[in-house]
Amino acid sequence: MKSLQDPVSKLRGVGPKTVDNLKTLGIETVEDLLTYFPARYDDFAPTNLETARDKQKITVHGTVVSEPMMSRFGYRRTRLAFRLMVGRHVVQAVYFNQPYLKSHVVLNHDVTVMGSWNAARQEIQGTKLLSNNNQQEMGAIYPANKNVHQATIRKLIKIAYQNYSTVIATLLPINLRQRYQLLDRKTMIHDMHFPKDGQAAKAARRTAAYEEFFLFQLRLQAIRRAHRQKDGNQILYNNDELRGFIKTIPFELTAAQKRVVNEICRDLRQPYQMNRLLQGDVGSGKTIVAAIAIYATIIDGYQAALMAPTEILAAQHAQKLAGVFDGTHVNVGLLTGSMNTKQKREMLNGIKNGTINLVVGTHALIQDQVEFANLGLAIIDEQHRFGVHQREQLRMKGEQPDILAMTATPIPRTLAITSYGEMDISVIDELPAGRQPIKTTWLKENQSSEALKFLKAQLATGAQVYVVSPLIEQSEALDVQNATDLYQEFAEYFEPDYKVGLLHGRMDNDQKEQVMQDFKDNKIQVMVATTVIEVGVDNPNATVMLIYDADRFGLAQLHQLRGRVGRGQRQSYCLLIADPKSEEGKKRMQTMVETTDGFVVAQRDLELRGSGDVLGSKQSGIPDFKVGDPVADLKIIQIARSDAGTLINTPNWDQKDENQPLVYYLKRHELTTHFD
Ligand code: ADP
Ligand code: MG
């Protein structure tokens, strides 16, 4: 029985070499080949010869009405000529130095000729020739590489379609196809590759995009259901004890914090595994929410882990949480890569025997040697900094531990739903009371002395400031050099009145921690830093963020950097120094000035850069769609998501005959349920 899952080697003419070459394009099965869609189409729509201008690039469909004549002249030069009947006109077609075309030109057969029009001689100097193309107006252009050429892909797809079109089953349920007037799968695949005109290509793409999003969402929701049905731990903490702890927090939780704490705690008590994304803009107070979940976990006798992307952040969390849990029986341990062997061994022992019940750390947490006594809750901070794999590795450290992933990455809500469709989502959409929006100003380079004056005035009021040095083309060494130079300039300018500190990625951890601590203790007032301070660093007394060459940073990064201030009661400021050359750079600066809302910033970012750049990175866990564009096609995604949800929640949907292709599809993807 033929199946779309057949390896490509089943196709005529595909030997081991071609199999290997196709693999480089991600093509292994016939289905891979058939869904290897064109990147674009050459438009072969015919030109009207009556109105064609001299030297115009034209395309005509016609019938060959003379035997092709080939002449050779000069050194290896050839000229192929034949007459062509195009509508009522007879024109001459000539091709130079493409002798191999001769076999494609057959008397009384149809061809498509493309080339440059010579009006006086009624002649086309041809560049391209297609034979037997059935009046197809659109020529598919495929993404190729050096191993596999366009022509090969085109030929193989044709063969695959000829041999397998009869076994292309439609996946989408009939009611959805009718509702949106989508094509059946066979027609869709045909028209993606061989559309008869632009209209057909467009209709096929519409179906393909919907199908792609629908299948993706169906998989995500199937995973989510599977997680829910699997046994997870049930964290039955004592409610009064948890309330007692919450009372010790020195501030009142915001309404949004209370809501997400409830959502999380409800999950903890359930017998299934929690899989939740906590989204909240920078400064919205995610850490304390995490602390409450951790406390609930620990009072029921489980361990908790918190993984952060940098050593600075891990150290800061460990310190902060040790303070929050002071006087409780939460025993906080820190595990990072740079600890010495002895420290590490002690820590690993404590984690294994359970004396350490809260472990804060970096990637070091997911290394093989780390064994937990009974991990009940795993939290990933700034989760966009980690890959999907690392999230999974942490999950494997326990038996179905509850997972809480936290992120401030301002991706628009709808997009978050898309890319994290297998997770439940909690959103903190409110900043703690008393926060005043950060005032952002954009200064030109020749105004930087004003920035310094402003800094001085702020310092005089007892505030502290950050100064971020420019980013140099991905070279850490140069970044460090820059920060060091800037540090010297600032030290000359501000010391001895104010102490200036320096923080960059090449410092060792003790140094970094010391500087951070001095800044927190207000022994340092001016902190000159590279982007190592980008994530998470928290000092509520810092009120100014001054960023040099701000146009070198992306919007998301600028927003994160700005989020380092405005974390306390005082009015805070962000000063951007930049002379952007590009329009896009100017728009980025304007966006920062106009809004402090992370979601708005994110939306702008998407509009300015397009989804390819924002979502393209595998790190973010956002899949690369073949056809659909998660930004431009956002509406389609939303509809597909809701349709997939409706289907999967219909009782016995998987028993119905018409859904068997979908059930089979899900089964096949069971082992690759993650999209990485
Ligand atoms: P983020 O969400 O960016 O991780 P943090 O958890 O670091 O934010 O919180 C930012 C600051 O706000 C911290 O200093 C924290 O103690 C403080 N904070 C958090 N929640 C509240 C609240 N409800 N009221 C006042 N301050 C709060
Ligand atoms: Mg944080």
Side-chain angles (χ1 to χ4, degrees):
M1 256 278 277
K2 273 186 195 168
S3 148
L4 293 189
Q5 300 320 306
D6 286 351
V8 280
S9 57
K10 289 246 170 148
L11 294 172
R12 168 162 45 89
V14 177
K17 182 105 195 288
T18 311
V19 167
D20 284 346
N21 287 339
L22 286 173
K23 245 182 217 157
T24 64
L25 292 176
I27 299 171
E28 296 186 20
T29 65
V30 171
E31 179 159 30
D32 293 339
L33 193 55
L34 288 174
T35 56
Y36 193 79
F37 293 131
R40 59 190 176 83
Y41 301 90
D42 263 348
D43 195 348
F44 299 150
T47 316
N48 182 353
L49 281 182
E50 316 251 332
T51 55
R53 284 167 289 108
D54 194 40
K55 299 211 174 80
Q56 188 184 331
K57 299 264 170 281
I58 63 167
T59 301
V60 293
H61 302 311
T63 310
V64 178
V65 291
S66 73
E67 284 291 351
M69 295 276 293
M70 179 110 100
S71 43
R72 292 176 189 277
F73 59 98
Y75 177 67
R76 283 209 201 159
R77 313 227 310 174
T78 63
R79 176 180 186 272
L80 174 70
F82 56 92
R83 282 202 301 281
L84 192 68
M85 173 84 113
V86 181
R88 294 180 293 110
H89 299 265
V90 174
V91 301
Q92 172 94 344
V94 285
Y95 286 85
F96 287 101
N97 307 324
Q98 301 187 59
Y100 48 86
L101 289 180
K102 182 162 188 261
S103 61
H104 296 276
V105 182
V106 181
L107 188 61
N108 293 328
H109 280 57
D110 288 346
V111 289
T112 296
V113 169
M114 276 163 282
S116 164
W117 179 233
N118 184 326
R121 295 161 72 165
Q122 296 284 292
E123 182 179 281
I124 303 168
Q125 183 169 333
T127 48
K128 227 176 186 180
L129 179 132
L130 301 175
S131 51
N132 303 326
N133 74 328
N134 308 326
Q135 299 299 312
Q136 188 183 318
E137 288 179 8
M138 308 292 285
I141 307 289
Y142 296 92
N145 64 17
K146 63 179 192 318
N147 303 317
V148 197
H149 297 288
Q150 263 316 305
T152 312
I153 299 173
R154 201 173 290 140
K155 187 182 80 194
L156 291 178
I157 288 177
K158 205 160 206 164
I159 295 173
Y161 187 81
Q162 278 162 359
N163 287 293
Y164 283 85
S165 66
T166 49
V167 294
I168 300 177
T170 294
L171 297 171
L172 296 172
I174 181 88
N175 65 327
L176 295 177
R177 261 189 301 140
Q178 282 172 346
R179 189 181 313 152
Y180 308 121
Q181 302 186 349
L182 301 173
L183 306 172
D184 63 84
R185 196 160 196 243
K186 185 172 149 187
T187 309
M188 179 274 279
I189 287 178
H190 177 275
D191 287 358
M192 282 300 280
H193 296 295
F194 326 109
K196 86 175 186 313
D197 53 27
Q199 208 60 28
K202 217 165 158 182
R205 189 196 171 277
R206 197 167 148 269
T207 297
Y210 179 89
E211 183 190 283
E212 182 172 38
F213 289 140
F214 180 85
L215 293 177
F216 174 69
Q217 290 293 342
L218 195 70
R219 268 163 67 192
L220 289 184
Q221 303 206 24
I223 297 169
R224 185 165 156 193
R225 264 174 83 92
H227 276 310
R228 295 231 147 190
Q229 281 160 3
K230 244 188 249 164
D231 296 338
N233 53 35
Q234 209 169 0
I235 299 178
L236 294 170
Y237 56 87
N238 179 316
N239 218 343
D240 292 335
E241 207 177 336
L242 187 64
R243 274 174 212 278
F245 167 70
I246 293 174
K247 284 215 183 78
T248 68
I249 298 171
F251 44 75
E252 172 81 8
L253 295 181
T254 62
Q257 284 171 318
K258 285 181 190 161
R259 189 184 65 240
V260 303
V261 163
N262 280 329
E263 287 165 0
I264 293 165
C265 285
R266 200 183 314 130
D267 274 354
L268 293 180
R269 300 185 75 89
Q270 298 294 332
Y272 55 72
Q273 186 179 29
M274 171 167 81
N275 196 21
R276 190 170 280 280
L277 179 72
L278 174 58
Q279 244 202 328
D281 210 342
V282 281
S284 60
K286 293 183 290 292
T287 315
I288 196 68
V289 170
I292 293 168
I294 289 168
Y295 195 77
T297 304
I298 289 177
I299 57 181
D300 194 39
Y302 287 95
Q303 285 172 302
L306 172 61
M307 183 163 75
T310 66
E311 300 219 349
I312 294 182
L313 193 51
Q316 179 187 285
H317 274 318
Q319 188 194 32
K320 190 157 195 172
L321 290 169
V324 167
F325 294 129
D326 193 26
T328 70
H329 64 278
V330 176
N331 191 9
V332 186
L334 176 65
L335 185 71
T336 64
S338 66
M339 287 165 58
N340 68 36
T341 322
K342 181 164 168 281
Q343 289 172 313
K344 210 178 248 169
R345 194 173 330 114
E346 270 171 31
M347 193 52 63
L348 289 175
N349 278 336
I351 298 170
K352 194 169 177 183
N353 65 29
T355 47
I356 299 214
N357 45 20
L358 168 58
V359 194
V360 181
T362 54
H363 298 79
L365 281 182
I366 50 179
Q367 281 164 357
D368 286 345
Q369 322 100 291
V370 185
E371 283 177 60
F372 286 83
N374 60 344
L375 181 64
L377 171 67
I379 302 179
I380 298 121
D381 193 22
E382 309 288 349
Q383 83 99 34
H384 56 285
R385 290 295 197 98
F386 295 98
V388 178
H389 271 303
Q390 291 161 322
R391 192 161 81 203
E392 286 308 300
Q393 278 171 308
L394 188 59
R395 186 201 297 278
M396 302 312 280
K397 291 288 177 193
E399 285 182 31
Q400 313 286 352
D402 287 323
I403 301 288
L404 181 64
M406 309 201 289
T407 186
T409 304
I411 36 179
R413 178 92 198 259
T414 38
L415 220 52
I417 291 172
T418 307
S419 40
Y420 302 106
E422 92 284 20
M423 302 183 96
D424 294 300
I425 297 191
S426 291
V427 181
I428 307 182
D429 50 6
E430 169 186 19
L431 294 180
R435 294 276 172 82
Q436 302 165 49
I438 301 162
K439 291 192 177 144
T440 303
T441 312
W442 169 21
L443 300 170
K444 298 291 164 60
E445 262 155 45
N446 60 18
Q447 297 172 295
S448 54
S449 60
E450 283 171 41
L452 290 186
K453 271 187 227 147
F454 183 79
L455 246 52
K456 218 165 200 170
Q458 279 291 307
L459 288 163
T461 70
Q464 292 169 275
V465 305
Y466 292 101
V467 179
V468 173
S469 63
L471 197 66
I472 304 284
E473 312 287 331
Q474 315 210 319
S475 156
E476 203 200 348
L478 286 175
D479 286 349
V480 167
Q481 184 56 50
N482 247 322
T484 312
D485 291 349
L486 202 61
Y487 162 74
Q488 263 146 16
E489 277 174 43
F490 272 77
E492 258 168 52
Y493 189 84
F494 285 109
E495 286 185 343
D497 298 348
Y498 305 104
K499 177 93 177 107
V500 181
L502 174 65
L503 188 68
H504 62 67
R506 293 260 171 114
M507 288 160 54
D508 69 38
N509 283 317
D510 291 347
Q511 282 177 308
K512 276 192 220 161
E513 266 169 48
Q514 190 58 51
V515 173
M516 284 304 300
Q517 195 55 49
D518 286 352
F519 189 57
K520 269 186 201 162
D521 297 343
N522 206 351
K523 288 184 195 153
I524 289 174
Q525 288 76 40
V526 180
M527 172 77 98
V528 177
T530 60
T531 51
V532 292
I533 56 154
E534 180 191 338
V535 288
V537 170
D538 186 36
N539 177 357
N541 192 46
T543 61
V544 185
M545 169 61 66
L546 169 61
I547 305 174
Y548 279 93
D549 278 349
D551 56 320
R552 298 208 180 200
F553 297 89
L555 267 178
Q557 207 169 17
L558 288 171
H559 183 71
Q560 282 279 347
L561 286 170
R562 177 167 63 182
R564 296 311 109 219
V565 297
R567 301 172 83 82
Q569 300 283 333
R570 311 170 65 133
Q571 174 63 53
S572 290
Y573 305 88
C574 177
L575 305 180
L576 307 170
I577 299 185
D579 290 346
K581 286 178 195 69
S582 68
E583 260 324 289
E584 203 228 287
K586 285 181 194 146
K587 291 216 173 96
R588 263 184 277 141
M589 297 305 109
Q590 278 155 4
T591 301
M592 289 297 291
V593 171
E594 280 163 26
T595 183
T596 52
D597 182 329
F599 289 112
V600 177
V601 171
Q603 190 60 46
R604 271 311 157 76
D605 199 20
L606 282 177
E607 289 162 9
L608 287 177
R609 293 198 292 156
S611 71
D613 279 345
V614 182
L615 307 178
S617 107
K618 288 264 181 276
Q619 272 296 304
S620 62
I622 296 172
D624 285 336
F625 292 104
K626 284 189 189 172
V627 187
D629 174 339
V631 178
D633 300 324
L634 197 55
K635 279 233 175 66
I636 307 185
I637 298 190
Q638 285 173 285
I639 292 169
R641 174 181 162 83
S642 121
D643 292 338
T646 307
L647 178 68
I648 212 165
N649 290 315
T650 307
N652 297 326
W653 76 275
D654 52 351
Q655 306 297 318
K656 288 197 192 123
D657 279 349
E658 73 145 335
N659 292 329
Q660 288 321 299
L662 278 178
V663 172
Y664 178 58
Y665 171 86
L666 279 181
K667 276 211 185 104
R668 262 193 297 118
H669 286 85
E670 204 168 41
L671 295 177
T672 51
T673 37
H674 262 290
F675 36 81
D676 52 348

